[in-house]
């Protein structure tokens, strides 16, 4: 069970995932040992799924984003489609939706021609795809933010 102290730890780590256990302990009002134990417990319970760097896509040559709405031909395609999608690095988010369309994919690319090649060579060939509808992201106002803890 996640309590108030755990939520404070999670909130602090969402803001600064590189914070040391000592600094974190001071921020949440614990000594280092209990803070470290809570961190280990949160990690082993799967509450903390990992730590990663927040990279600006444009600064590494990946400044083009598209949202792709996917409708599948049939329900038998769900498993193969999902398995294929999780293996494709250019698809940075994949959400299964209720109703139509079936999925929303966030795709990142260098530019429009690069996205077009990816669309023609990869997306249309995904298992069970009946229909794709893309929209280009003009500007990302709020990226993947932390949870409201």
């Amino acid at each position: 069970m996640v309590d108030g102290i755990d939520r404070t730890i999670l909130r602090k780590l969402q803001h600064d995932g590189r914070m040391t256990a000592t600094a974190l302990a001071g921020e949440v009002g614990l000594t280092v040992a209990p803070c470290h134990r809570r961190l280990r417990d949160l990690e082993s319970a799967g509450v903390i799924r990992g730590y990663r760097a927040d990279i600006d896509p444009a600064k590494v040559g990946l400044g083009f984003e598209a949202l792709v709405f996917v409708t599948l031909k049939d329900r038998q395609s769900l498993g193969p489609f999902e398995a294929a999608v999780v293996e494709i690095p250019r698809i940075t988010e994949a959400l299964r939706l209720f109703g139509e369309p079936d999925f929303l994919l966030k795709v990142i690319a260098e530019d429009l021609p690069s996205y077009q090649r990816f669309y023609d060579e990869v997306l249309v060939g995904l298992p069970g795809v009946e229909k794709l509808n893309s929209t280009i992201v003009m500007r990302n106002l709020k990226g993947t933010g932390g949870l409201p803890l």
Side-chain angles (χ1 to χ4, degrees):
M1 183 71 160
V2 176
D3 65 14
I5 294 172
D6 290 337
R7 287 183 181 279
T8 302
I9 288 170
L10 295 169
R11 206 171 22 255
K12 298 290 181 183
L13 287 176
Q14 280 186 147
H15 179 71
D16 181 3
R18 292 182 59 158
M19 182 179 278
T20 66
T22 303
L24 183 60
E27 290 278 328
V28 300
L30 294 173
T31 59
V32 176
C35 183
H36 197 264
R37 180 189 51 78
R38 283 177 177 264
L39 272 175
R40 278 195 322 266
D41 291 347
L42 289 167
E43 291 167 352
S44 65
V47 176
I48 297 175
R49 297 187 292 195
Y51 300 89
R52 46 185 79 74
D54 183 11
I55 300 167
D56 183 337
K59 300 235 170 130
V60 293
L62 296 167
F64 184 90
E65 292 179 54
L67 301 177
V68 183
F69 299 93
V70 182
T71 302
L72 298 181
K73 294 176 188 170
D74 53 48
R75 294 290 162 221
Q76 291 75 28
S77 303
L78 281 173
F81 177 84
E82 289 177 355
V85 163
V86 298
E87 296 299 322
I88 302 171
R90 284 193 184 274
I91 300 173
T92 60
E93 288 185 57
L95 306 168
R96 183 169 174 204
L97 308 174
F98 278 104
E100 293 236 2
D102 297 309
F103 290 89
L104 171 60
L105 308 178
K106 181 178 173 186
V107 176
I108 195 150
E110 293 85 0
D111 52 26
L112 181 57
S114 173
Y115 173 70
Q116 180 184 352
R117 283 189 305 279
F118 178 75
Y119 183 98
D120 292 342
E121 296 169 8
V122 177
L123 291 177
V124 297
L126 287 171
V129 170
E130 179 179 312
K131 179 181 171 185
L132 298 171
N133 188 357
S134 296
T135 187
I136 296 170
V137 176
M138 288 176 59
R139 183 168 57 139
N140 190 332
L141 301 176
K142 184 175 181 180
T144 316
L147 297 175
L149 298 171

